[in-house]
Amino acid sequence: MFDPIKEVTEQLNKLRETAETKGIDLSREIRHLELKLDRLEKDIYGNMKPWDRVQLARNPKRPTTLDYIHHMFPDFMELHGDRHGYDDAAIVSGLATFEGVPVTIIGHQRGRNTKENMKRNFGMPHPEGYRKALRFMKQAEKFNRPILTFIDTKGAYPGKAAEERGQSEAIARNLFEMATLKVPIVSVVIGEGGSGGALGIGVCDRLLMLENSTYSVISPEGAAALLWKDAKQAERAAETMKITAQDLFNLGIVDEVVGEVYGGAHVDVSLQSSLLKPVLLQHMNELLDLSTSQLIQGRATKYHQIGTISE
Amino acid sequence: MTAFFKKPKRYMPLRQREPKIDAPQGLMTKCPSCKYMHYTKQLNENHKVCDCGYHFPLHAQERIDMLVDEGSFERFAGPSVKANPLDFPDYEEKLSKDRERTGIEEAVVCGKATIDGLPLVVCVMDARFRMGSMGAYVGEAIASAVRRATSLRLPVVLFTASGGARMQEGMVSLMQMANTSIALKEHDEAGLLYIAYLTHPTTGGVSASFAMLGDLNVAEPGALIGFAGRRIIEQTIREKLPENFQTAEFLLESGQLDAVIHREQMRSFLKKMIGLHDGGVHHV
């Protein structure tokens, strides 16, 4: 596939190299190419359609929860298990300090290759994953630690065993318990936010989304199949269903959209982490200033307001 | 002579005699399970349950009439919600068509009533309206009915019948799962009884929120209850699912329901349960 940005970047690098090794003054040419590159990037990334963002959100190279944890929380300690016989690897959880504040971190975990994905079940939790998450949330409440959740799943796993063991109940229970947790909850969608499976760790005081992530009640393909009996209309569904960070910000569902590095978060995980970290920190600190009742009341109001007309 | 060699026909085409029913439409109702033809009037007197055990779906109003003391139901006014939050094409026309067809405002009817004198808040979903799917109206109507029950200190009985989230309201509809769950949690913390009464069908976002959050979760016989659709599960795990998968009886076996209640017992069951949860023993 022709990639104009890559093309110009290569030209630019060649030019710089030539200028350096041969000692020729090419600053005018270099400046020209730099401007061209800048305009190209603005053109391409500024005009991304929802469907383009869906592709970025699904890019297998897109950073996962553990990647961000690695860059943002160097002292993270992963802790395991639902205490009822399972440890769902599609959910990671653990403790860390965040600028001096002890926090509980919970997130969906995809694999970055086939082997990892087998272990992680492609980031699609079973009921036990949600129960494990709940265990850590209750623990966070007991020890008065803020909770940070990273949302990145196609959805809760639609399997036979998952149904038998109460997938619905596990998700419902988390929504119910998260409603009145006495500690701040900040959630950030880093890839795909798939419906109830995402919300199961996503009831929060502040919802952030990376610029190219999506959050939807059903996949664009599923929506197209249901609404127009044609899965090929997914591109149209991605626009109509309003699933991008910006669309959801406009709908008042998302509190802040976190910008991504040009080309998407996978281009530079470390840089992306440094873009996300201060935003996450700011929201957490704002919430830490609130009293428990303000926090819980605010959470109820947040969800009450989404569909209603304010008087 | 040649006629002699002709084989006689072994079968005589008989004209099928159709049972001729010269009845006005709606007089008879056929059971989709055992195919028996019921007199609609008789069926209605039998709680709309066939002798084979098949529970016909009820309209919200039929359920309310069957359940609560006559004349006791006070319907709550509907919430003020965004009619078409995503500006979804043709959505509003679909809503008005369903309104015309069903005579109800949206897929849930909520109000206050009494059962044998015991007061309660009751919400009944109606699967005829957009398959009972949950958008802002349904979510907020339920959440505000529950909040009212909390302030009136009343139990809540919620009859679910829903295909899940309403596609045309996208994420606004998903967030109703949180909205309703939060209202129920407040009701719970006030020490009040909530009974989730699952009827056919209860799936998707509704099953993964208020349908599973009762102090008691009960269901009608044969009701389809599940998180993911049967076809999706079969495609994912690449095997056929058992016939009874995701039925009320299946859920009872896997420990997810307290009881499966025949419609005939609906009223007496709820009366008994509300009575048993009233008060309790107070320790010093």
Side-chain angles (χ1 to χ4, degrees):
Chain A
M1 209 177 72
F2 176 70
D3 184 346
I5 291 181
K6 204 171 154 195
E7 187 98 334
V8 178
T9 313
E10 272 166 14
Q11 281 177 20
L12 190 62
N13 287 342
K14 229 181 250 166
L15 218 57
R16 277 184 184 140
E17 210 181 285
T18 326
E20 208 162 291
T21 49
K22 303 217 168 128
I24 317 165
D25 180 22
L26 293 169
S27 55
R28 257 194 71 200
E29 287 81 354
I30 289 175
R31 180 86 197 118
H32 174 75
L33 272 184
E34 275 173 351
L35 283 173
K36 191 174 168 188
L37 183 64
D38 192 48
R39 213 173 46 234
L40 256 179
E41 283 182 330
K42 275 191 185 131
D43 253 17
I44 290 177
Y45 298 125
N47 285 322
M48 279 214 304
K49 293 261 189 304
W51 186 242
D52 302 325
R53 298 194 197 272
V54 170
Q55 303 316 313
L56 271 181
R58 287 176 181 173
N59 190 326
K61 290 200 193 100
R62 195 162 171 87
T64 66
T65 297
L66 282 176
D67 294 321
Y68 288 111
I69 288 177
H70 175 75
H71 283 93
M72 288 163 63
F73 312 97
D75 67 346
F76 176 75
M77 176 74 205
E78 189 177 350
L79 302 168
H80 296 270
D82 71 348
R83 295 295 186 274
H84 293 280
Y86 293 93
D87 179 40
D88 192 337
I91 296 250
V92 290
S93 44
L95 304 179
T97 49
F98 191 25
E99 300 294 310
V101 179
V103 291
T104 289
I105 299 168
I106 297 165
H108 299 104
Q109 184 60 41
R110 285 182 294 112
R112 278 155 296 194
N113 51 50
T114 312
K115 199 177 156 209
E116 268 185 33
N117 262 325
M118 297 295 280
K119 178 184 166 198
R120 303 283 182 189
N121 199 31
F122 296 85
M124 297 160 93
H126 280 76
E128 293 72 27
Y130 295 103
R131 291 175 183 140
K132 164 175 153 180
L134 182 59
R135 185 170 81 81
F136 286 104
M137 291 188 234
K138 294 299 253 182
Q139 200 188 71
E141 183 179 45
K142 177 178 174 185
F143 295 101
N144 209 16
R145 285 191 295 262
I147 300 167
L148 309 175
T149 75
F150 289 80
I151 295 172
D152 186 20
T153 184
K154 286 183 186 305
Y157 188 63
K160 183 167 175 261
E163 294 281 330
E164 283 167 348
R165 301 200 295 262
Q167 190 71 285
S168 292
E169 194 274 343
I171 293 172
R173 183 66 45 200
N174 281 15
L175 311 183
F176 189 70
E177 293 296 340
M178 291 177 95
T180 54
L181 276 183
K182 294 187 188 73
V183 290
I185 310 169
V186 182
S187 296
V188 50
V189 186
I190 57 170
E192 282 181 280
S195 197
L199 193 62
I201 60 164
V203 176
C204 58
D205 303 300
R206 298 287 166 85
L207 179 62
L208 319 177
M209 277 181 82
L210 295 192
E211 193 185 339
N212 295 317
S213 62
T214 60
Y215 199 172
S216 63
V217 69
I218 187 171
S219 71
E221 289 84 353
L226 268 182
L227 292 164
W228 305 304
K229 315 271 174 254
D230 181 7
K232 291 192 199 82
Q233 304 233 30
E235 195 169 338
R236 180 177 154 205
E239 289 182 25
T240 323
M241 297 289 289
K242 307 246 172 20
I243 61 173
T244 64
Q246 193 57 48
D247 278 342
L248 293 169
F249 178 80
N250 297 343
L251 278 171
I253 291 172
V254 166
D255 296 290
E256 186 164 346
V257 179
V258 182
E260 280 189 31
V261 292
Y262 271 148
H266 60 282
V267 172
D268 191 338
V269 194
S270 157
L271 182 59
Q272 188 60 53
S273 301
S274 65
L275 289 175
L276 175 58
K277 191 176 168 179
V279 184
L280 208 52
L281 188 67
Q282 192 203 335
H283 284 282
M284 185 185 84
N285 284 337
E286 280 173 22
L287 294 166
L288 282 172
D289 286 340
L290 301 178
S291 71
T292 310
S293 62
Q294 280 174 322
L295 196 65
I296 293 171
Q297 190 52 51
R299 201 177 296 153
T301 310
K302 174 182 167 70
Y303 287 97
H304 163 68
Q305 275 175 348
I306 285 171
T308 51
I309 299 163
S310 49
E311 284 95 42
Chain B
M1 191 66 190
T2 49
F4 179 80
F5 297 102
K6 249 190 182 170
K7 266 192 178 170
K9 272 189 181 155
R10 289 171 70 193
Y11 302 103
M12 278 262 284
L14 270 177
R15 277 190 59 204
Q16 195 99 57
R17 259 190 290 169
E18 289 272 343
K20 227 181 172 183
I21 304 169
D22 247 344
Q25 275 241 316
L27 186 72
M28 306 295 283
T29 306
K30 190 177 182 180
C31 171
S33 173
C34 73
K35 315 289 178 219
Y36 184 82
M37 289 294 279
H38 293 271
Y39 276 108
T40 306
K41 202 172 154 232
Q42 259 176 12
L43 186 68
N44 288 349
E45 279 163 12
N46 203 25
H47 301 90
K48 279 203 164 183
V49 179
C50 178
D51 292 335
C52 74
Y54 177 77
H55 282 53
F56 284 82
L58 292 182
H59 306 171
Q61 196 55 48
E62 287 175 323
R63 169 94 55 192
I64 292 164
D65 292 344
M66 214 176 267
L67 178 69
V68 304
D69 298 338
E70 212 181 321
S72 74
F73 186 74
E74 296 166 36
R75 191 178 157 271
F76 297 155
S80 356
V81 293
K82 295 163 190 156
N84 187 2
L86 306 190
D87 289 323
F88 203 96
D90 305 330
Y91 178 44
E92 276 157 285
E93 290 78 70
K94 282 192 172 121
L95 288 181
S96 34
K97 255 189 209 156
D98 273 14
R99 269 180 202 133
E100 217 167 280
R101 190 170 56 80
T102 60
I104 48 175
E105 208 179 313
E106 252 278 4
V108 71
V109 178
C110 307
K112 210 181 100 176
T114 58
I115 296 177
D116 229 16
L118 294 169
L120 77 158
V121 164
V122 58
C123 304
V124 187
M125 299 185 80
D126 196 320
R128 290 174 307 159
F129 196 102
R130 303 266 92 216
M131 288 166 73
S133 58
M134 171 164 64
Y137 183 104
V138 170
E140 184 53 27
I142 289 172
S144 68
V146 171
R147 283 193 292 265
R148 264 167 103 158
T150 309
S151 61
L152 296 167
R153 297 205 57 80
L154 290 179
V156 173
V157 177
L158 202 168
F159 292 88
T160 62
S162 176
R166 180 143 330 150
M167 293 301 118
Q168 291 87 350
E169 294 189 26
M171 282 297 287
V172 172
S173 117
L174 189 79
M175 291 303 162
Q176 299 310 316
M177 291 169 68
N179 190 22
T180 51
S181 302
I182 290 171
L184 282 167
K185 178 70 168 155
E186 290 162 356
H187 185 257
D188 175 75
E189 292 191 345
L192 301 165
L193 171 67
Y194 167 46
I195 298 177
Y197 209 120
L198 282 60
T199 73
H200 182 76
T202 297
T203 57
V206 166
S207 85
S209 58
F210 52 84
M212 286 292 164
L213 292 174
D215 296 295
L216 300 172
N217 297 333
V218 299
E220 286 203 329
L224 170 78
I225 303 161
F227 176 70
R230 188 189 186 90
R231 208 160 39 90
I232 293 177
I233 300 172
E234 286 184 337
Q235 281 167 4
T236 309
I237 63 172
R238 295 203 180 85
E239 58 178 279
K240 267 308 263 159
L241 293 164
E243 192 67 27
N244 73 338
F245 189 68
Q246 291 183 324
T247 58
E249 292 73 16
F250 172 88
L251 265 82
L252 185 67
E253 264 175 48
S254 56
Q256 297 177 54
L257 290 175
D258 291 280
V260 175
I261 312 277
H262 193 282
R263 197 175 284 161
E264 212 165 33
Q265 268 91 52
M266 169 175 72
R267 187 177 148 94
S268 59
F269 167 81
L270 287 174
K271 186 190 146 194
K272 187 171 171 181
M273 285 303 136
I274 292 171
L276 280 171
H277 284 81
D278 189 16
V281 182
H282 293 279
H283 293 278
V284 184

